[in-house]
Amino acid sequence: MNSNASPRESLQLQVAPVIAIDGPSGTGKGTIAEGLAQQLGWHVLDSGALYRSLGLAATRAGLDLDDGATMGELARRLQIRFEGNRVLLDGDDVSEEIRTAEGGVRASRVAVHAQVREALMLLQRAAVRPPGLIADGRDMGSRVFPNAVLKIYLYATPEERANRRYKQLRDKGMDANMRDLIRELRERDDLDRNRTHSPLTIADGAIVIDSTALSIADVLAQVVAQAQQALANTGSISE
Ligand code: DC
């Protein structure tokens, strides 16, 4: 546990424990978060969906995604609900629309603003509830939940991530080009790693898992083992 915890952060952990899963795009964080949540019977927070929904809301309203004050204001008013694995923006199911490559780029653009990160921080922290929360994103362990009982940083080479994305798109019968996919992933990594506010970074105490040569099942097995150990150490409920 982080000894620099603010009273508010300590209070959150009394509400329920948090496991943070961070890493660049396309490393399988979402799949691992869902798998771990099933094993533990915990809730999931897909923080990327918040940034994606904000980017979509801004585009729909014809607003400037690069204007921090406007985006911050919009983020504070964002009406977003998760229902199972559906994402509702102002009551409208946007689950598919936010998942496009363009949705990822828009999310990355609005995510650079301090005002946006501040507003979404509150939403993310409000998602903590018993018996526990698995939070997936870029700054879950470093900024939003520094007291997480376990912090995982999931990594894979851009080539391998592009390869996985390529197969997913082809399976859906969609056109894909490996060179473009690698370029897009690198661009998004650069934006997420090099922004001033809450950049993608390996949080203090995070366990780094390189999934490049591993199957989803192998990564999940490692993460589950780490979670069980962490929960046993902190005295939280665990199987
Ligand atoms: O995880 P994702 O691909 O859905 O995230 C989309 C973008 O949102 C990502 O490129 C950067 C931003 N993001 C962020 O800045 N912080 C988070 N905790 C989650 C996502």
Side-chain angles (χ1 to χ4, degrees):
M1 193 185 295
N2 183 339
S3 54
N4 299 325
S6 70
R8 178 191 285 229
E9 285 158 5
S10 304
L11 207 63
Q12 262 156 14
L13 272 192
Q14 286 165 24
V15 172
V18 174
I19 292 177
I21 304 184
D22 291 300
S25 309
T27 44
K29 298 184 300 290
T31 310
I32 297 300
E34 289 293 343
L36 182 60
Q38 273 187 13
Q39 294 260 348
L40 298 177
W42 284 18
H43 305 280
V44 174
L45 169 67
D46 170 5
S47 64
L50 298 176
Y51 291 91
R52 286 172 182 266
S53 298
L54 177 63
L56 179 62
T59 305
R60 283 182 171 177
L63 299 173
D64 179 2
L65 277 68
D66 301 319
D67 178 338
T70 307
M71 287 306 102
E73 177 60 34
L74 187 63
R76 281 190 289 279
R77 288 191 282 113
L78 201 65
Q79 291 296 324
I80 180 154
R81 253 188 14 250
F82 292 97
E83 279 184 7
N85 50 11
R86 312 308 295 172
V87 183
L88 304 185
L89 172 64
D90 291 327
D92 180 21
D93 187 342
V94 294
S95 319
E96 316 296 333
E97 207 173 339
I98 58 169
R99 292 286 152 221
T100 60
E102 199 192 340
V105 174
R106 280 195 301 243
S108 228
R109 269 173 71 191
V110 297
V112 302
H113 306 301
Q115 300 95 320
V116 165
R117 305 211 71 90
E118 198 64 33
L120 295 189
M121 173 92 87
L122 301 176
L123 278 184
Q124 292 167 87
R125 288 186 171 165
V128 178
R129 56 195 191 281
L133 182 75
I134 321 250
D136 129 37
R138 303 290 184 293
D139 60 342
M140 298 296 96
S142 60
R143 281 277 293 162
V144 182
F145 302 113
N147 279 342
V149 290
L150 173 67
K151 300 176 186 180
I152 299 283
Y153 185 91
L154 216 50
Y155 171 82
T157 61
E159 290 74 15
E160 174 56 22
R161 288 185 274 142
N163 190 30
R164 292 175 190 168
R165 183 83 188 126
Y166 180 83
K167 285 188 187 145
Q168 276 173 357
L169 291 170
R170 296 304 288 243
D171 286 350
K172 286 188 194 159
M174 292 161 79
D175 241 4
N177 173 303
M178 269 299 278
R179 286 241 302 270
D180 289 347
L181 288 174
I182 293 176
R183 182 180 41 77
E184 284 163 16
L185 274 170
R186 285 190 193 282
E187 281 171 8
R188 193 127 72 87
D189 284 359
D190 280 351
L191 204 56
D192 293 347
R193 285 203 178 102
N194 297 320
R195 64 181 177 226
T196 308
H197 307 290
S198 307
L200 169 64
T201 165
I202 302 177
D204 275 352
I207 291 163
V208 179
I209 299 179
D210 181 353
S211 76
T212 305
L214 299 177
S215 68
I216 292 279
D218 288 340
V219 178
L220 183 58
Q222 281 194 33
V223 173
V224 168
Q226 293 287 352
Q228 282 169 340
Q229 196 182 328
L231 293 176
N233 289 344
T234 55
S236 304
I237 2 76
S238 165
E239 290 304 297

